[in-house]
Amino acid sequence: MNHQHSPTMNALSHSPSPSIKFSSYKTHSLLLPQPRSTLQSISLSGKLKLKISCSASEHPEHAAPRKHQPSKKAKNVSDGEKGVDPVGFLTKLGISHKQFSQYLRERYKSLKDLKEEIFNRHANLQDLSSGFMFLGMHRHVEHRVDFMEWAPGARYCAVVGDFNGWSPTENAAREGHFGHDDYGYWFIILEDKLKEGEKPDELYFQQYNYVDDYDKGDSGVSIDEIFKRANDEYWEPGEDRFIKNRFEVPAKLYEQLFGPNGPQTLEELEEIPDAETRYKAWKEQHKDDPSSNLPSYDVIDNGKEYDIFNVVIDPVTREKFKVKKPPIPYWLETRKGRKAWLKKYSPTIPHGSKYRVYFNTPNGPLERIPAWATYVQPDAHGKQGFAIHWEPPPEYAYKWKNTKPNVPKALKIYECHVGISGSEPKVSSFNYFIEKVLPHVKEAGYNAIQLFGVVEHKDYFTVGYRVTNFFAVSSRYGTPEDFKRLVDEAHGLGLLVFLDIVHSYASADEMVGLSSFDGSNDCYFHTGKRGHHKYWGTRMFKYGDQDVLHFLLSNLNWWVVEYHIDGFLFHSLSSMIYTHNGFASFTGDMEEFCNQYVDKDALLYLILANEILHALHPDIITIAEDATYYPGLCEPISQGGLGFDYYVNLSASEMWSSFLQNVPDQEWNMNKIVSSLIGNRHSTNKMLLFAENHSQSISGGRSYAEILFGDIKEHGAGSKETLLRGCSLHKMIRLITFTIGGRAYLNFMGNEFGHPKRVEFPMLSNNFSFSLANRQWDLLEKEMHHGLFLFDKELMGLDENEKILTRSLPNVHHVNETTKVISYIRGPFLFIYNFHPTDSFERYSVGVEEAGEYRIMLNTDEIEYGGQGNIKHDQYLQRTISRRIDGLRNCLEVSLPCRTAQVYKLSRILRI
């Protein structure tokens, strides 16, 4: 039998009793299905009558709880057909490329077809991205824990752990034995243990208010009293019997058809008469029965061939029923508090238990860490890894205190790695980060942190990019509650929290990760060469598979719902967008973005990810990291784009790194600096710029400070010329990178004060040393580093006070390769840079449009920032000269010492 509903629906249909689940987050109206149902009442036997509510497509025998099928209106999650132009952004940008335009149209059609397929199994896109509500371990409102896992290649599934002596038979589900559906989702119920001397609950479906206060939920009213009141106030006489025994009707039907005296073969079963014939036969058989006090029913055949029968009720009873509300208050009154649960039961899988999932596969038995596990300890020092059941008692579970900050118009992001955030040679913790790093970020003037390496990974030296467990925070830093506290404390300081998410590939580890998860290669990943990254040894996701989409999209939603994450940087998109993983020569020809090497399924996944995230969480921020700058990264989905809010300009940091290491100062190309930093003028406002991020310090690279200052151990003992050059360029690079681009800037932890050492994680090649896997915060006490920090702090404050990043894009009006001077205007601000290594200028003429007085707001050469103080304070105020320069009506004659930069602000306008 093919079940055309979602895996989450399978969990409900397998559940022996109904449960009520409420969403813990605000939903978007476009993601909700439009319910459509009719009420029918049918007579099934001589003594029993049952009232059934079912959708138009359901049969009466499917009385188990089901989700509503989505209406057509619910499917149009984004813009619908109206207002959609699959090539709209090409028209806007004036790009004419027939092949790419055709590709975008075909991609849009594929997106519509994909959604049609999705809606055959999922109620809507919210349902597609909410698998974490059912998969993995979940406490049920009754006395049990439910476990659900996707493993289509397995033929036997069990949960093994220290709670059951690692037995593969105690908590199991076999194919065809109440636990495996057509899509490969296994469902196992772990019943809580009844304590010695306690009797089972009177109600099989007894619910407990397990997650709230200790005894909240106990009404103090006995079950008999509640049912008596329900009989008097709500139920028609005799109806409450089906609440006490929900299986009475189907059991009798089953016994009639397949009981000991029923037919044993298909031949004996013969053809079952239609419902109307059986109803008339029953009515004839029971025509002499005494009258019932239940409502009367009858069957009317309206003569339509496609109508088998209509069951109708008398008008008085129908009107009486229509005014009734669901009897939920009576059900909730039967709930008991957690105190009552603790008295009667002990958990079958206690909090902190170690467990794994056991499969029997065509290739033999194997154990895996569940894919949806939320807390994992990966194997270390040769020990087996395992999941940890994380279900702290409500009084110990973290309670959120702070609301999320409003999303600022300009992002100043502080990129962090928790493990290397401490000064000591060891792995630092979430708690250390909270106490030491968050206050520094706030003081430095940033308004967001971006964390990488937080999602669980087996090997620390991989920096967290070979993810093994996508729903788990890394146990090496602390517990899930510790990470919630980190996010909450950051929000309390006004800091947004972004996560560097890696959905472009996954760890190839089989014992801890997802590779060959159920014994087959085609579970989460492509088979053969396509399933392996060409150079990194990682596994590549099969984005065209609905269940893989279900996993990845649910993962994104999980981090927002569970941990209140404010945004994501999607790591290394070129690895997933192209089958060559981005390792190819790109000339910029549009054909390279729509040829046979482009993975359309990966692009559709990114579109769905942005569509769902922005619909469910309107304030979410998504950032694309793509070295190939795929066209339309930040364009609206309705206009043929991928829907990201920002994209990362990777070429800027590559340019600075190349200049610092390979090009003499006097040969720096000013036009290349400007063109690299501004990028594509059409999308500059959507650009995230950085002078250097963690990549410049990791993977064999060096920080700019290490390049500029060399291997000086104590900077006070270094060459004065070397230190002066290093400090000057360090500040100038950050100033121009910060102010010339769009509305987003990023800095890696420690680089704001010139951290002098690269990052090197402990591994075999360095004898597993932690000496370079930390941050030297004590350097902030040293004069030079303190000066660099003060300058960076002033730079962040300049934007906070003057809103530099949110102003109109700069007008770059002066670029001189001979003098090495760059100047541009942004609003009332004038930025001037002299990159020349030796030449200073006493009266350098730079054009301005507005006549008036200009005052220096920020000067890289001030002594407190580690400069020489060549510009005296009486020179900070300059008045324009009425002379046309750089195509502008006026000019300033300013002092420009070598390797310095100044920011002027128009303080008073002069009317001529």
Side-chain angles (χ1 to χ4, degrees):
M1 179 171 61
N2 291 323
H3 304 288
Q4 294 299 318
H5 48 78
S6 68
T8 55
M9 195 56 250
N10 287 318
L12 291 178
S13 62
H14 289 158
S15 176
S17 62
S19 63
I20 302 171
K21 286 186 178 287
F22 300 96
S23 176
S24 59
Y25 54 90
K26 189 185 297 182
T27 57
H28 193 281
S29 60
L30 292 176
L31 294 175
L32 295 174
Q34 301 296 319
R36 49 176 184 173
S37 62
T38 57
L39 185 71
Q40 297 183 355
S41 299
I42 62 174
S43 178
L44 297 172
S45 65
K47 298 181 180 180
L48 303 177
K49 292 188 177 182
L50 178 64
K51 191 170 287 185
I52 297 177
S53 176
C54 60
S55 71
S57 60
E58 286 180 319
H59 297 290
E61 61 266 29
H62 294 167
R66 294 188 58 173
K67 290 182 180 177
H68 293 294
Q69 296 297 320
S71 69
K72 292 182 180 179
K73 184 176 180 180
K75 296 180 183 180
N76 297 328
V77 174
S78 58
D79 307 271
E81 291 296 328
K82 185 178 180 181
V84 172
D85 183 358
V87 297
F89 82 90
L90 294 182
T91 305
K92 182 183 77 171
L93 301 179
I95 299 175
S96 177
H97 193 276
K98 186 175 180 180
Q99 184 178 349
F100 191 68
S101 297
Q102 182 61 28
Y103 178 82
L104 290 180
R105 290 186 174 93
E106 292 174 356
R107 192 181 75 189
Y108 178 68
K109 183 180 182 303
S110 298
L111 178 64
K112 292 204 302 181
D113 293 342
L114 175 61
K115 287 184 179 180
E116 286 296 324
E117 293 178 19
I118 289 171
F119 294 137
N120 286 332
R121 288 176 55 184
H122 296 271
N124 47 41
L125 293 183
Q126 179 183 337
D127 181 54
L128 175 68
S129 59
S130 301
F132 56 85
M133 296 179 67
F134 298 93
L135 282 111
M137 286 279 189
H138 292 278
R139 162 117 340 242
H140 197 277
V141 290
E142 297 167 13
H143 42 83
R144 71 185 214 219
V145 170
D146 295 344
F147 175 79
M148 196 172 179
E149 190 67 76
W150 181 58
R155 56 191 182 192
Y156 179 93
C157 178
V159 179
V160 298
D162 52 13
F163 67 97
N164 64 8
W166 301 93
S167 169
T169 57
E170 185 169 331
N171 301 102
R174 289 178 294 159
E175 185 175 357
H177 287 74
F178 199 69
H180 181 276
D181 71 359
D182 293 346
Y183 299 112
Y185 287 85
W186 298 86
F187 184 70
I188 300 174
I189 294 174
L190 293 85
E191 293 279 357
D192 290 329
K193 299 173 183 176
L194 194 66
K195 291 184 177 178
E196 187 176 351
E198 295 291 337
K199 296 180 180 179
D201 288 314
E202 298 177 52
L203 295 176
Y204 181 77
F205 52 82
Q206 179 68 63
Q207 296 183 0
Y208 291 87
N209 187 18
Y210 183 83
V211 297
D212 275 338
D213 294 335
Y214 191 58
D215 24 347
K216 183 179 178 181
D218 285 323
S219 64
V221 182
S222 69
I223 292 174
D224 290 336
E225 291 179 82
I226 292 172
F227 275 122
K228 183 179 185 303
R229 195 164 77 245
N231 281 332
D232 296 340
E233 299 172 1
Y234 186 89
W235 299 106
E236 298 296 334
E239 284 183 327
D240 66 320
R241 63 181 299 182
F242 301 110
I243 302 301
K244 296 181 178 179
N245 191 345
R246 296 179 301 106
F247 298 110
E248 181 175 348
V249 172
K252 286 186 175 296
L253 287 174
Y254 187 89
E255 184 178 355
Q256 289 176 12
L257 292 174
F258 305 106
N261 301 320
Q264 302 297 309
T265 64
L266 289 176
E267 291 76 11
E268 294 179 16
L269 180 62
E270 299 178 346
E271 185 176 353
I272 301 177
D274 63 83
E276 183 178 0
T277 302
R278 285 184 281 122
Y279 176 79
K280 288 179 178 178
W282 167 82
K283 194 171 183 180
E284 178 64 27
Q285 179 183 355
H286 297 280
K287 61 183 179 181
D288 298 326
D289 287 356
S291 59
S292 170
N293 57 0
L294 291 176
S296 61
Y297 301 88
D298 208 341
V299 174
I300 299 176
D301 184 358
N302 60 10
K304 296 181 181 177
E305 294 183 2
Y306 54 82
D307 281 337
I308 299 177
F309 68 99
N310 283 333
V311 180
V312 296
I313 191 172
D314 69 89
V316 175
T317 305
R318 182 172 64 249
E319 291 302 317
K320 188 175 180 181
F321 181 83
K322 284 172 67 176
V323 300
K324 280 188 176 183
K325 295 181 179 180
I328 290 178
Y330 300 105
W331 281 54
L332 295 183
E333 237 183 313
T334 66
R335 287 187 307 169
K336 296 182 178 179
R338 194 166 145 267
K339 180 178 180 181
W341 179 90
L342 287 171
K343 178 178 180 297
K344 181 170 286 192
Y345 294 98
S346 58
T348 182
I349 177 168
H351 167 61
S353 298
K354 302 174 182 178
Y355 72 97
R356 290 192 288 271
V357 60
Y358 174 97
F359 296 125
N360 194 352
T361 73
N363 296 322
L366 54 85
E367 290 184 10
R368 293 284 187 259
I369 291 180
W372 300 73
T374 59
Y375 193 34
V376 173
Q377 287 192 356
D379 55 334
H381 309 297
K383 297 180 180 179
Q384 177 70 56
F386 43 77
I388 298 175
H389 180 54
W390 194 254
E391 190 186 15
E395 58 267 28
Y396 295 109
Y398 189 80
K399 294 177 177 59
W400 296 90
K401 300 178 296 184
N402 301 304
T403 57
K404 289 188 175 186
N406 295 327
V407 178
K409 293 181 179 179
L411 293 175
K412 300 184 285 287
I413 305 172
Y414 196 80
E415 187 184 40
C416 313
H417 186 284
V418 172
I420 66 171
S421 64
S423 300
E424 298 182 19
K426 65 177 184 179
V427 178
S428 293
S429 67
F430 290 134
N431 290 329
Y432 176 90
F433 189 90
I434 294 168
E435 302 302 323
K436 301 296 184 180
V437 181
L438 284 182
H440 171 80
V441 179
K442 179 64 175 178
E443 181 190 358
Y446 292 82
N447 56 22
I449 60 172
Q450 180 172 294
L451 301 168
F452 65 99
V454 164
V455 185
E456 188 61 88
H457 49 287
K458 173 189 171 185
D459 300 313
Y460 188 51
F461 71 86
T462 65
V463 196
Y465 284 125
R466 296 182 187 175
V467 176
T468 51
N469 312 100
F470 286 80
F471 287 82
V473 295
S474 180
S475 58
R476 54 177 59 88
Y477 310 135
T479 68
E481 309 306 300
D482 294 334
F483 185 59
K484 288 178 182 178
R485 177 173 168 247
L486 187 157
V487 176
D488 200 20
E489 293 292 338
H491 286 166
L493 293 172
L495 300 172
L496 299 177
V497 181
F498 298 156
L499 205 61
D500 196 330
I501 199 78
V502 186
H503 282 184
S504 46
Y505 51 84
S507 169
D509 191 282
E510 295 185 5
M511 296 305 295
V512 185
L514 299 176
S515 188
S516 298
F517 182 71
D518 60 1
S520 67
N521 249 342
D522 57 355
C523 188
Y524 288 94
F525 308 108
H526 288 289
T527 56
K529 291 184 178 180
R530 180 80 182 277
H532 295 266
H533 194 286
K534 289 186 176 182
Y535 300 99
W536 296 344
T538 50
R539 298 304 308 271
M540 307 306 296
F541 283 107
K542 186 166 49 176
Y543 300 102
D545 189 292
Q546 272 201 52
D547 296 290
V548 176
L549 288 178
H550 183 52
F551 177 83
L552 294 175
L553 294 170
S554 295
N555 183 240
L556 294 173
N557 197 13
W558 158 260
W559 289 104
V560 183
V561 172
E562 183 69 13
Y563 292 108
H564 297 192
I565 294 298
D566 303 293
F568 298 98
L569 182 142
F570 284 72
H571 173 76
S572 188
L573 295 189
S574 55
S575 298
M576 61 189 289
I577 292 176
Y578 309 99
T579 56
H580 52 61
N581 305 131
F583 285 83
S585 298
F586 279 82
T587 64
D589 192 311
M590 296 294 286
E591 186 271 336
E592 294 169 334
F593 303 113
C594 56
N595 59 22
Q596 70 271 25
Y597 301 110
V598 177
D599 188 342
K600 185 186 293 183
D601 291 333
L603 292 172
L604 295 181
Y605 160 68
L606 294 174
I607 291 172
L608 283 176
N610 277 301
E611 184 175 5
I612 291 173
L613 283 174
H614 286 96
L616 289 176
H617 315 285
D619 292 332
I620 202 77
I621 300 293
T622 58
I623 306 169
E625 183 190 76
D626 174 25
T628 68
Y629 304 111
Y630 194 87
L633 281 173
C634 296
E635 297 295 335
I637 294 171
S638 61
Q639 298 300 299
L642 299 184
F644 286 96
D645 297 299
Y646 296 92
Y647 74 95
V648 180
N649 183 339
L650 296 169
S651 60
S653 61
E654 292 173 358
M655 178 267 297
W656 288 126
S657 182
S658 175
F659 276 14
L660 289 172
Q661 296 184 91
N662 306 316
V663 182
D665 293 4
Q666 63 272 17
E667 295 179 16
W668 282 22
N669 188 307
M670 299 297 104
N671 281 289
K672 183 173 182 179
I673 290 176
V674 171
S675 61
S676 297
L677 293 176
I678 290 180
N680 187 338
R681 294 289 300 192
H682 295 295
S683 55
T684 301
N685 255 336
K686 298 288 188 179
M687 181 171 60
L688 169 65
L689 265 176
F690 53 83
E692 55 178 327
N693 70 345
H694 69 275
S695 295
Q696 273 66 45
S697 303
I698 298 176
S699 304
R702 295 185 294 166
S703 71
Y704 293 170
E706 186 173 6
I707 298 170
L708 290 167
F709 302 129
D711 297 325
I712 302 172
K713 294 182 180 179
E714 294 293 336
H715 293 298
S719 162
K720 181 178 179 180
E721 182 181 348
T722 300
L723 295 180
L724 183 60
R725 171 184 178 269
C727 285
S728 299
L729 291 178
H730 196 275
K731 290 175 288 186
M732 292 180 70
I733 287 172
R734 274 155 180 76
L735 177 60
I736 191 171
T737 305
F738 182 72
T739 59
I740 202 173
R743 296 181 289 114
Y745 173 80
L746 178 143
N747 169 69
F748 176 51
M749 177 174 61
N751 286 350
E752 72 279 6
F753 61 84
H755 200 281
K757 297 291 182 67
R758 66 187 182 279
V759 177
E760 193 175 275
F761 283 78
M763 61 186 79
L764 184 61
S765 60
N766 61 18
N767 200 25
F768 298 99
S769 169
F770 282 85
S771 61
L772 295 176
N774 51 40
R775 298 281 89 180
Q776 300 178 38
W777 299 106
D778 58 317
L779 292 176
L780 282 167
E781 303 299 323
K782 298 184 179 296
E783 182 179 357
M784 186 195 75
H785 295 286
H786 184 66
L788 294 178
F789 172 69
L790 284 180
F791 176 79
D792 195 81
K793 182 178 177 180
E794 285 295 320
L795 188 56
M796 299 301 115
L798 182 66
D799 176 71
E800 184 67 25
N801 298 325
E802 303 291 349
K803 312 303 179 189
I804 299 289
L805 299 187
T806 54
R807 295 182 182 272
S808 58
L809 292 177
N811 172 27
V812 183
H813 63 281
H814 187 101
V815 180
N816 191 313
E817 293 292 352
T818 302
T819 60
K820 303 298 180 186
V821 173
I822 298 172
S823 181
Y824 52 87
I825 297 172
R826 192 166 191 176
F829 294 92
L830 173 68
F831 299 83
I832 311 175
Y833 304 83
N834 179 10
F835 279 97
H836 204 287
T838 56
D839 291 354
S840 299
F841 308 99
E842 285 296 325
R843 300 177 67 85
Y844 193 93
S845 297
V846 176
V848 293
E849 187 65 26
E850 290 283 356
E853 292 181 347
Y854 287 76
R855 180 179 295 278
I856 291 180
M857 302 293 292
L858 189 62
N859 175 21
T860 64
D861 195 41
E862 287 193 18
I863 293 176
E864 65 174 323
Y865 303 147
Q868 293 181 295
N870 288 315
I871 301 179
K872 305 307 178 185
H873 280 278
D874 59 0
Q875 297 175 283
Y876 270 39
L877 184 65
Q878 297 287 338
R879 179 172 291 192
T880 57
I881 299 173
S882 181
R883 187 169 74 240
R884 195 171 187 85
I885 289 182
D886 300 327
L888 303 175
R889 292 182 296 177
N890 299 283
C891 78
L892 284 177
E893 290 185 345
V894 297
S895 176
L896 288 182
C898 63
R899 290 201 186 104
T900 64
Q902 294 87 43
V903 180
Y904 286 85
K905 182 182 181 182
L906 177 62
S907 58
R908 187 163 72 95
I909 298 176
L910 297 179
R911 299 301 178 187
I912 300 176

